[in-house]
Amino acid sequence: MKKRSLKFVGLFVFILVFTFTMAACDMVGNSAVEDTADDIAESSETGELEIVMSDIDMQEEVGAQSLLFNRFQDFELEFYIEYQPDENLNYTETISLDDADILEDDLGDDGYSVTFTALRESNWDVEVTLTGYNVNTEERVTIATGDTEAMVIAGQKRDVSLEIQQVEGGLDITVDQFPSEETGGELIEEVNVQLLDLDGETVLGEMDFDYDVNDQNLIIEDLFPAYYTMVISWEGHGSVEEEVQVRVVPDKITEVPISLYGSQLNVGVDWKAEPASPENVRVEQNEDGFLVSWDAVDNADSYNVLRKRTPYTHDGFAKVGEVEHTSPGRHEFQYEVLKDELFDIAAYDFQVVSVREHSGKDYDLTSDPASPALFELDRATAWGGDTAGEFGEGWWYYYDTEGPAEQTIFVNATVEMGTIEIIESDDPDYVTIEMTIDKDDWTLQVDDVDEVVKVQGFAEGELPNERPDPHFFDHQFDYDQLDIDGNVVTIEVPTDYYRYFGIKLDVMGVIYAAGIQ
């Protein structure tokens, strides 16, 4: 659907577009008179009015924390018309909308329509209202509304086009102060409050609260439902500045009482924001099942891993694991597939949701689910070592034991995918080869597990003048013969006191679609 750019970064504008159409009606408003083309054509006193909702235009903003609809379900669209000469003559028709259509901004090609029949000729007022049930406050909330007027002409069927605007809200901010020992029992003379939108630059409201004035309020209206940053600063024992987030909800002036206990700040409003969605979600299949990984977000306490398995028993996403937020960086969850045959007969999809604990509430704050980025597997050859061999018909690298201890693993000739080191073993007849692989993008092949690592030693003066054929290497290791600890792979190889080693790996990498990463 066509999206409109907004001047206010981080604010939602939801517009329901009602377009002209001559399509057949989906619903009947006033059914006292049979709705047929013949009746209308023959009537000299009444006409029809059809309204079609064909689109919802949503504008996403910063993160998931102010996505209006993530607390709503059971959407309804109410059509109300009123006869202008007599307000007592009116009709209402309500459509229950599919939640997924609203949340995913997908109404199909035809949208929703309502037809009112047997209407007296004259001007009619038209009002359209979108409502949703707030699952946290347990009340039905008006989300968007609009009005216009339409002329009904006897013997004709007319269409009306109407845009409705998201209902705005506001904040009523007050400051009370309770002297404490920190301030010597004296009131702070002035407290400054600013309200910023989520880009952190535009000042939407600002006020200095002076304590020789009673009943002071900073009332800010006409705000789109979203989270806003409120900056509170004052001069006490030094300069103090605090930031909290406040939420504007549709069709309501939310009270925001601020209390100062000396330099301690209490904001009497549920100001915590939902956490942002995890980023760079990736799923790798391995012998045990699937490894799901993602980048942590700052304001999450934990993460829920959701799984959908089709067509085998589960059609929707269900929680299969929880991971505690421990630090910045990558987090991961290993999902185990208990029966090998499920790999062949079932398809698996995964999502990750950020969770933020909500003290004093019976629910947690959650983000929008994040799905894995679109990708394809690139199966490739890798060689360990810093020295390029004689190419001939194919590139290769080898490890020179007289070079640096830690050398590079190359894939696709030029891409670095990890490091390799050959170290002395406890057994003097063997060497230990330790390979560290960048698992964010590359891994050993796990679905074709035969001979994934091949090793051949070469004495000084015996290096081939072209790439050797790894199929004839002396030492070949299947996946289950490797010692794997995280992203470190270790093998033991007879040394025969070789100076050079050709080390070839069968790997697969994830190539992400443009614009995903």
Side-chain angles (χ1 to χ4, degrees), residues 18-25 27 35-37 40-41 45-52 79 81 113-124 126 148-162:
F18 297 82
T19 58
F20 289 97
T21 179
M22 295 301 294
C25 65
M27 301 188 67
D35 179 14
T36 66
I40 295 301
E45 297 181 356
T46 63
E48 286 189 4
L49 184 63
E50 183 177 19
I51 306 171
V52 178
F79 297 83
I81 61 172
S113 65
V114 167
T115 298
F116 294 93
T117 65
L119 302 178
R120 295 182 184 179
E121 182 175 88
S122 186
N123 286 331
W124 290 72
V126 177
T148 187
E149 65 177 36
M151 169 67 76
V152 173
I153 299 177
Q156 294 186 16
K157 178 180 179 180
R158 306 200 68 194
D159 304 326
V160 62
S161 175
L162 174 65

CSV table of all heavy atoms in Angstrom, one decimal, residues 18-25 27 35-37 40-41 45-52 79 81 113-124 126 148-162:
chain,number,residue,atom,x,y,z
A,18,PHE,N,-11.4,6.3,2.2
A,18,PHE,CA,-12.6,5.8,1.7
A,18,PHE,C,-12.8,6.3,0.2
A,18,PHE,O,-12.9,7.5,0.0
A,18,PHE,CB,-13.8,6.2,2.5
A,18,PHE,CG,-13.7,5.7,3.9
A,18,PHE,CD1,-13.0,6.3,4.9
A,18,PHE,CD2,-14.4,4.5,4.2
A,18,PHE,CE1,-12.9,5.8,6.1
A,18,PHE,CE2,-14.3,4.0,5.5
A,18,PHE,CZ,-13.6,4.6,6.4
A,19,THR,N,-12.7,5.4,-0.7
A,19,THR,CA,-12.7,5.9,-2.1
A,19,THR,C,-14.0,5.6,-2.8
A,19,THR,O,-14.8,4.8,-2.4
A,19,THR,CB,-11.6,5.1,-2.9
A,19,THR,OG1,-11.9,3.7,-2.8
A,19,THR,CG2,-10.2,5.4,-2.3
A,20,PHE,N,-14.2,6.4,-3.9
A,20,PHE,CA,-15.4,6.2,-4.7
A,20,PHE,C,-15.4,4.8,-5.4
A,20,PHE,O,-14.4,4.4,-5.9
A,20,PHE,CB,-15.5,7.3,-5.8
A,20,PHE,CG,-15.7,8.6,-5.3
A,20,PHE,CD1,-14.7,9.5,-5.0
A,20,PHE,CD2,-17.0,9.0,-5.0
A,20,PHE,CE1,-15.0,10.8,-4.5
A,20,PHE,CE2,-17.3,10.3,-4.5
A,20,PHE,CZ,-16.2,11.2,-4.2
A,21,THR,N,-16.5,4.2,-5.4
A,21,THR,CA,-16.6,2.9,-6.0
A,21,THR,C,-18.1,2.6,-6.4
A,21,THR,O,-19.0,3.1,-5.8
A,21,THR,CB,-16.1,1.7,-5.1
A,21,THR,OG1,-16.3,0.5,-5.9
A,21,THR,CG2,-16.9,1.6,-3.9
A,22,MET,N,-18.2,1.8,-7.4
A,22,MET,CA,-19.6,1.4,-7.8
A,22,MET,C,-19.8,-0.1,-7.6
A,22,MET,O,-20.6,-0.8,-8.2
A,22,MET,CB,-19.8,1.7,-9.3
A,22,MET,CG,-19.8,3.2,-9.6
A,22,MET,SD,-21.1,4.1,-8.7
A,22,MET,CE,-22.6,3.5,-9.4
A,23,ALA,N,-18.9,-0.7,-6.7
A,23,ALA,CA,-19.0,-2.1,-6.5
A,23,ALA,C,-20.3,-2.4,-5.7
A,23,ALA,O,-20.9,-1.6,-5.1
A,23,ALA,CB,-17.8,-2.6,-5.6
A,24,ALA,N,-20.7,-3.7,-5.8
A,24,ALA,CA,-21.9,-4.2,-5.1
A,24,ALA,C,-21.6,-4.1,-3.6
A,24,ALA,O,-20.5,-4.2,-3.1
A,24,ALA,CB,-22.2,-5.6,-5.4
A,25,CYS,N,-22.7,-3.9,-2.8
A,25,CYS,CA,-22.6,-3.6,-1.4
A,25,CYS,C,-22.1,-4.9,-0.7
A,25,CYS,O,-22.5,-6.0,-1.1
A,25,CYS,CB,-23.8,-3.1,-0.8
A,25,CYS,SG,-25.2,-4.3,-0.8
A,27,MET,N,-22.5,-4.9,2.9
A,27,MET,CA,-23.4,-4.9,4.1
A,27,MET,C,-24.5,-3.9,3.9
A,27,MET,O,-24.4,-3.0,3.1
A,27,MET,CB,-22.6,-4.6,5.4
A,27,MET,CG,-21.4,-5.5,5.7
A,27,MET,SD,-20.8,-5.2,7.3
A,27,MET,CE,-22.1,-5.7,8.3
A,35,ASP,N,-33.0,-4.1,-0.6
A,35,ASP,CA,-31.9,-3.4,-1.3
A,35,ASP,C,-31.8,-4.0,-2.7
A,35,ASP,O,-31.1,-5.0,-2.9
A,35,ASP,CB,-30.6,-3.6,-0.6
A,35,ASP,CG,-29.5,-2.9,-1.3
A,35,ASP,OD1,-29.7,-2.1,-2.2
A,35,ASP,OD2,-28.3,-3.2,-0.9
A,36,THR,N,-32.5,-3.5,-3.7
A,36,THR,CA,-32.4,-4.0,-5.1
A,36,THR,C,-32.3,-2.8,-6.0
A,36,THR,O,-32.8,-1.7,-5.7
A,36,THR,CB,-33.5,-4.8,-5.5
A,36,THR,OG1,-34.7,-4.0,-5.6
A,36,THR,CG2,-33.8,-6.0,-4.5
A,37,ALA,N,-31.6,-3.0,-7.1
A,37,ALA,CA,-31.5,-1.9,-8.1
A,37,ALA,C,-32.8,-1.5,-8.6
A,37,ALA,O,-33.1,-0.3,-8.9
A,37,ALA,CB,-30.6,-2.4,-9.3
A,40,ILE,N,-34.6,1.0,-6.3
A,40,ILE,CA,-34.1,2.3,-6.4
A,40,ILE,C,-34.4,3.0,-7.7
A,40,ILE,O,-34.8,4.2,-7.7
A,40,ILE,CB,-32.5,2.2,-6.2
A,40,ILE,CG1,-32.2,1.7,-4.8
A,40,ILE,CG2,-31.9,3.6,-6.4
A,40,ILE,CD1,-32.7,2.5,-3.7
A,41,ALA,N,-34.4,2.3,-8.7
A,41,ALA,CA,-34.7,2.9,-10.0
A,41,ALA,C,-36.1,3.4,-10.1
A,41,ALA,O,-36.4,4.4,-10.7
A,41,ALA,CB,-34.4,1.9,-11.1
A,45,GLU,N,-38.6,8.9,-4.2
A,45,GLU,CA,-38.4,9.6,-2.9
A,45,GLU,C,-37.2,9.2,-2.1
A,45,GLU,O,-36.7,9.9,-1.3
A,45,GLU,CB,-39.6,9.2,-2.0
A,45,GLU,CG,-41.0,9.7,-2.6
A,45,GLU,CD,-42.1,9.4,-1.6
A,45,GLU,OE1,-41.9,8.8,-0.6
A,45,GLU,OE2,-43.2,9.9,-1.9
A,46,THR,N,-36.6,8.0,-2.4
A,46,THR,CA,-35.4,7.6,-1.6
A,46,THR,C,-34.2,7.2,-2.5
A,46,THR,O,-34.4,7.0,-3.7
A,46,THR,CB,-35.7,6.3,-0.8
A,46,THR,OG1,-36.1,5.2,-1.7
A,46,THR,CG2,-36.9,6.6,0.2
A,47,GLY,N,-33.1,7.2,-1.9
A,47,GLY,CA,-31.8,6.8,-2.7
A,47,GLY,C,-30.9,6.0,-1.8
A,47,GLY,O,-31.2,5.7,-0.6
A,48,GLU,N,-29.8,5.6,-2.3
A,48,GLU,CA,-28.8,4.8,-1.6
A,48,GLU,C,-27.5,5.6,-1.4
A,48,GLU,O,-27.1,6.5,-2.2
A,48,GLU,CB,-28.5,3.5,-2.4
A,48,GLU,CG,-29.6,2.5,-2.4
A,48,GLU,CD,-29.1,1.2,-3.0
A,48,GLU,OE1,-27.9,1.1,-3.4
A,48,GLU,OE2,-29.9,0.3,-3.1
A,49,LEU,N,-26.8,5.2,-0.4
A,49,LEU,CA,-25.5,5.8,-0.1
A,49,LEU,C,-24.5,4.7,0.2
A,49,LEU,O,-24.7,3.9,1.2
A,49,LEU,CB,-25.6,6.8,1.1
A,49,LEU,CG,-24.3,7.6,1.4
A,49,LEU,CD1,-23.9,8.4,0.2
A,49,LEU,CD2,-24.5,8.4,2.6
A,50,GLU,N,-23.4,4.5,-0.5
A,50,GLU,CA,-22.4,3.5,-0.3
A,50,GLU,C,-21.1,4.1,0.1
A,50,GLU,O,-20.7,5.1,-0.5
A,50,GLU,CB,-22.2,2.6,-1.6
A,50,GLU,CG,-21.2,1.5,-1.3
A,50,GLU,CD,-21.0,0.6,-2.5
A,50,GLU,OE1,-21.4,1.0,-3.6
A,50,GLU,OE2,-20.5,-0.5,-2.3
A,51,ILE,N,-20.5,3.5,1.2
A,51,ILE,CA,-19.2,4.0,1.7
A,51,ILE,C,-18.3,2.8,1.6
A,51,ILE,O,-18.6,1.7,2.0
A,51,ILE,CB,-19.3,4.5,3.1
A,51,ILE,CG1,-20.4,5.5,3.2
A,51,ILE,CG2,-17.9,5.0,3.6
A,51,ILE,CD1,-20.7,5.9,4.7
A,52,VAL,N,-17.1,3.0,1.0
A,52,VAL,CA,-16.1,1.9,0.9
A,52,VAL,C,-14.8,2.3,1.6
A,52,VAL,O,-14.3,3.4,1.4
A,52,VAL,CB,-15.8,1.6,-0.6
A,52,VAL,CG1,-14.7,0.6,-0.7
A,52,VAL,CG2,-17.1,1.2,-1.3
A,79,PHE,N,-19.9,3.1,11.1
A,79,PHE,CA,-20.5,4.0,10.1
A,79,PHE,C,-21.8,4.6,10.7
A,79,PHE,O,-22.7,3.9,11.0
A,79,PHE,CB,-20.8,3.4,8.7
A,79,PHE,CG,-19.5,2.8,8.1
A,79,PHE,CD1,-19.1,1.6,8.4
A,79,PHE,CD2,-18.9,3.5,7.1
A,79,PHE,CE1,-18.0,1.0,7.8
A,79,PHE,CE2,-17.8,3.0,6.5
A,79,PHE,CZ,-17.3,1.8,6.8
A,81,ILE,N,-24.7,7.7,10.0
A,81,ILE,CA,-25.2,8.7,9.1
A,81,ILE,C,-26.4,9.4,9.8
A,81,ILE,O,-27.2,8.7,10.5
A,81,ILE,CB,-25.6,8.2,7.7
A,81,ILE,CG1,-26.7,7.1,7.8
A,81,ILE,CG2,-24.4,7.7,7.0
A,81,ILE,CD1,-27.2,6.8,6.4
A,113,SER,N,-16.9,-2.4,2.7
A,113,SER,CA,-17.9,-1.5,2.3
A,113,SER,C,-19.2,-1.6,3.0
A,113,SER,O,-19.6,-2.7,3.6
A,113,SER,CB,-18.2,-1.7,0.8
A,113,SER,OG,-18.8,-2.9,0.5
A,114,VAL,N,-20.0,-0.5,3.1
A,114,VAL,CA,-21.3,-0.5,3.7
A,114,VAL,C,-22.2,0.3,2.8
A,114,VAL,O,-21.8,1.3,2.3
A,114,VAL,CB,-21.3,0.2,5.1
A,114,VAL,CG1,-22.7,0.5,5.6
A,114,VAL,CG2,-20.6,-0.7,6.1
A,115,THR,N,-23.4,-0.2,2.6
A,115,THR,CA,-24.4,0.5,1.8
A,115,THR,C,-25.7,0.8,2.7
A,115,THR,O,-26.2,-0.2,3.3
A,115,THR,CB,-24.8,-0.3,0.6
A,115,THR,OG1,-23.7,-0.5,-0.2
A,115,THR,CG2,-25.9,0.4,-0.2
A,116,PHE,N,-26.1,2.0,2.7
A,116,PHE,CA,-27.3,2.4,3.4
A,116,PHE,C,-28.4,2.6,2.3
A,116,PHE,O,-28.1,3.3,1.4
A,116,PHE,CB,-27.1,3.7,4.2
A,116,PHE,CG,-26.2,3.5,5.4
A,116,PHE,CD1,-24.8,3.8,5.2
A,116,PHE,CD2,-26.6,3.1,6.6
A,116,PHE,CE1,-24.0,3.7,6.3
A,116,PHE,CE2,-25.8,3.0,7.7
A,116,PHE,CZ,-24.4,3.3,7.5
A,117,THR,N,-29.6,2.1,2.5
A,117,THR,CA,-30.6,2.1,1.5
A,117,THR,C,-31.9,2.8,2.0
A,117,THR,O,-32.0,3.1,3.2
A,117,THR,CB,-31.0,0.7,1.1
A,117,THR,OG1,-31.6,0.0,2.2
A,117,THR,CG2,-29.8,-0.1,0.6
A,118,ALA,N,-32.8,3.2,1.1
A,118,ALA,CA,-34.1,3.8,1.4
A,118,ALA,C,-33.9,5.1,2.2
A,118,ALA,O,-34.5,5.3,3.3
A,118,ALA,CB,-35.0,2.8,2.1
A,119,LEU,N,-32.9,5.9,1.8
A,119,LEU,CA,-32.7,7.1,2.5
A,119,LEU,C,-33.4,8.3,1.9
A,119,LEU,O,-33.5,8.4,0.7
A,119,LEU,CB,-31.1,7.4,2.5
A,119,LEU,CG,-30.2,6.4,3.1
A,119,LEU,CD1,-28.8,6.8,2.9
A,119,LEU,CD2,-30.6,6.1,4.5
A,120,ARG,N,-34.0,9.2,2.7
A,120,ARG,CA,-34.7,10.4,2.2
A,120,ARG,C,-33.7,11.3,1.5
A,120,ARG,O,-32.5,11.4,1.8
A,120,ARG,CB,-35.3,11.1,3.3
A,120,ARG,CG,-36.4,10.4,4.1
A,120,ARG,CD,-37.0,11.2,5.1
A,120,ARG,NE,-38.0,10.5,5.9
A,120,ARG,CZ,-38.7,11.0,6.9
A,120,ARG,NH1,-38.5,12.3,7.3
A,120,ARG,NH2,-39.6,10.3,7.6
A,121,GLU,N,-34.2,11.9,0.4
A,121,GLU,CA,-33.4,12.8,-0.3
A,121,GLU,C,-33.1,14.1,0.5
A,121,GLU,O,-34.0,14.8,1.0
A,121,GLU,CB,-34.2,13.2,-1.6
A,121,GLU,CG,-33.4,14.2,-2.5
A,121,GLU,CD,-34.1,14.4,-3.8
A,121,GLU,OE1,-34.9,15.4,-3.9
A,121,GLU,OE2,-33.8,13.7,-4.8
A,122,SER,N,-31.9,14.4,0.6
A,122,SER,CA,-31.4,15.6,1.3
A,122,SER,C,-29.9,15.4,1.6
A,122,SER,O,-29.3,14.4,1.2
A,122,SER,CB,-32.2,15.9,2.6
A,122,SER,OG,-31.8,17.1,3.1
A,123,ASN,N,-29.4,16.3,2.4
A,123,ASN,CA,-28.0,16.2,2.9
A,123,ASN,C,-28.0,15.3,4.2
A,123,ASN,O,-28.8,15.4,5.1
A,123,ASN,CB,-27.4,17.5,3.2
A,123,ASN,CG,-27.0,18.3,2.0
A,123,ASN,OD1,-26.7,17.7,0.9
A,123,ASN,ND2,-27.0,19.6,2.0
A,124,TRP,N,-27.0,14.4,4.2
A,124,TRP,CA,-26.8,13.6,5.4
A,124,TRP,C,-25.4,13.8,6.0
A,124,TRP,O,-24.4,13.9,5.2
A,124,TRP,CB,-26.9,12.1,5.0
A,124,TRP,CG,-28.3,11.7,4.7
A,124,TRP,CD1,-29.1,12.0,3.6
A,124,TRP,CD2,-29.2,10.9,5.5
A,124,TRP,NE1,-30.3,11.5,3.6
A,124,TRP,CE2,-30.4,10.7,4.8
A,124,TRP,CE3,-29.1,10.2,6.7
A,124,TRP,CZ2,-31.5,10.0,5.3
A,124,TRP,CZ3,-30.1,9.5,7.2
A,124,TRP,CH2,-31.3,9.4,6.5
A,126,VAL,N,-22.1,12.3,7.8
A,126,VAL,CA,-21.5,11.0,7.8
A,126,VAL,C,-20.3,11.0,8.8
A,126,VAL,O,-19.5,11.9,8.7
A,126,VAL,CB,-20.9,10.6,6.4
A,126,VAL,CG1,-20.2,9.3,6.5
A,126,VAL,CG2,-22.1,10.6,5.4
A,148,THR,N,-17.9,14.0,7.4
A,148,THR,CA,-18.2,14.8,6.1
A,148,THR,C,-19.7,14.8,6.0
A,148,THR,O,-20.5,14.4,6.8
A,148,THR,CB,-17.5,14.1,4.9
A,148,THR,OG1,-17.6,15.0,3.8
A,148,THR,CG2,-18.1,12.8,4.6
A,149,GLU,N,-20.2,15.3,4.8
A,149,GLU,CA,-21.6,15.2,4.5
A,149,GLU,C,-21.8,14.7,3.1
A,149,GLU,O,-20.9,14.8,2.3
A,149,GLU,CB,-22.3,16.6,4.7
A,149,GLU,CG,-21.8,17.7,3.8
A,149,GLU,CD,-22.6,19.0,4.0
A,149,GLU,OE1,-22.9,19.3,5.1
A,149,GLU,OE2,-22.8,19.6,2.9
A,150,ALA,N,-22.9,14.1,2.8
A,150,ALA,CA,-23.2,13.6,1.5
A,150,ALA,C,-24.6,13.9,1.1
A,150,ALA,O,-25.5,13.9,1.9
A,150,ALA,CB,-23.0,12.1,1.5
A,151,MET,N,-24.8,14.1,-0.2
A,151,MET,CA,-26.1,14.4,-0.7
A,151,MET,C,-26.8,13.1,-1.2
A,151,MET,O,-26.1,12.4,-2.0
A,151,MET,CB,-26.0,15.4,-1.9
A,151,MET,CG,-27.3,15.5,-2.7
A,151,MET,SD,-28.7,16.3,-1.7
A,151,MET,CE,-28.2,18.0,-1.7
A,152,VAL,N,-28.0,12.8,-0.8
A,152,VAL,CA,-28.7,11.6,-1.3
A,152,VAL,C,-29.7,12.2,-2.3
A,152,VAL,O,-30.5,13.1,-2.0
A,152,VAL,CB,-29.4,10.9,-0.1
A,152,VAL,CG1,-30.3,9.8,-0.7
A,152,VAL,CG2,-28.4,10.3,0.8
A,153,ILE,N,-29.7,11.6,-3.4
A,153,ILE,CA,-30.7,12.0,-4.5
A,153,ILE,C,-31.6,10.8,-4.8
A,153,ILE,O,-31.2,9.7,-4.9
A,153,ILE,CB,-29.9,12.4,-5.8
A,153,ILE,CG1,-29.0,13.5,-5.5
A,153,ILE,CG2,-30.9,12.7,-6.9
A,153,ILE,CD1,-28.1,14.0,-6.7
A,154,ALA,N,-32.9,11.1,-4.8
A,154,ALA,CA,-33.9,10.0,-5.0
A,154,ALA,C,-33.7,9.3,-6.3
A,154,ALA,O,-33.4,9.9,-7.3
A,154,ALA,CB,-35.3,10.7,-5.0
A,155,GLY,N,-33.8,8.0,-6.3
A,155,GLY,CA,-33.6,7.2,-7.5
A,155,GLY,C,-32.2,6.9,-7.9
A,155,GLY,O,-32.0,6.3,-8.9
A,156,GLN,N,-31.2,7.4,-7.1
A,156,GLN,CA,-29.8,7.2,-7.4
A,156,GLN,C,-29.1,6.5,-6.3
A,156,GLN,O,-29.5,6.6,-5.1
A,156,GLN,CB,-29.1,8.5,-7.7
A,156,GLN,CG,-29.7,9.2,-9.0
A,156,GLN,CD,-28.8,10.4,-9.3
A,156,GLN,OE1,-27.7,10.6,-8.8
A,156,GLN,NE2,-29.4,11.3,-10.1
A,157,LYS,N,-28.0,5.8,-6.7
A,157,LYS,CA,-27.1,5.3,-5.7
A,157,LYS,C,-25.8,6.1,-5.8
A,157,LYS,O,-25.1,6.1,-6.8
A,157,LYS,CB,-26.8,3.8,-6.0
A,157,LYS,CG,-25.7,3.1,-5.1
A,157,LYS,CD,-25.5,1.7,-5.5
A,157,LYS,CE,-24.5,1.0,-4.5
A,157,LYS,NZ,-24.3,-0.4,-4.9
A,158,ARG,N,-25.4,6.7,-4.7
A,158,ARG,CA,-24.2,7.6,-4.6
A,158,ARG,C,-23.2,7.0,-3.7
A,158,ARG,O,-23.4,6.3,-2.8
A,158,ARG,CB,-24.6,9.0,-4.2
A,158,ARG,CG,-25.8,9.6,-5.0
A,158,ARG,CD,-25.8,11.1,-4.9
A,158,ARG,NE,-24.7,11.7,-5.5
A,158,ARG,CZ,-24.3,12.9,-5.3
A,158,ARG,NH1,-25.0,13.7,-4.5
A,158,ARG,NH2,-23.3,13.5,-5.9
A,159,ASP,N,-21.9,7.4,-4.0
A,159,ASP,CA,-20.8,7.0,-3.2
A,159,ASP,C,-20.2,8.2,-2.5
A,159,ASP,O,-20.3,9.3,-3.0
A,159,ASP,CB,-19.7,6.3,-4.1
A,159,ASP,CG,-20.2,5.2,-4.9
A,159,ASP,OD1,-21.1,4.5,-4.4
A,159,ASP,OD2,-19.8,5.0,-6.0
A,160,VAL,N,-19.6,7.9,-1.3
A,160,VAL,CA,-19.0,9.0,-0.6
A,160,VAL,C,-17.5,8.6,-0.3
A,160,VAL,O,-17.2,7.5,0.0
A,160,VAL,CB,-19.7,9.3,0.7
A,160,VAL,CG1,-19.7,8.1,1.7
A,160,VAL,CG2,-19.1,10.5,1.4
A,161,SER,N,-16.6,9.6,-0.4
A,161,SER,CA,-15.2,9.4,-0.1
A,161,SER,C,-14.9,10.2,1.1
A,161,SER,O,-15.2,11.4,1.2
A,161,SER,CB,-14.4,9.9,-1.3
A,161,SER,OG,-13.0,9.8,-1.0
A,162,LEU,N,-14.2,9.5,2.1
A,162,LEU,CA,-13.9,10.2,3.3
A,162,LEU,C,-12.6,9.7,3.9
A,162,LEU,O,-12.2,8.5,3.9
A,162,LEU,CB,-15.0,9.8,4.3
A,162,LEU,CG,-14.8,10.2,5.8
A,162,LEU,CD1,-14.8,11.8,5.9
A,162,LEU,CD2,-15.9,9.6,6.7
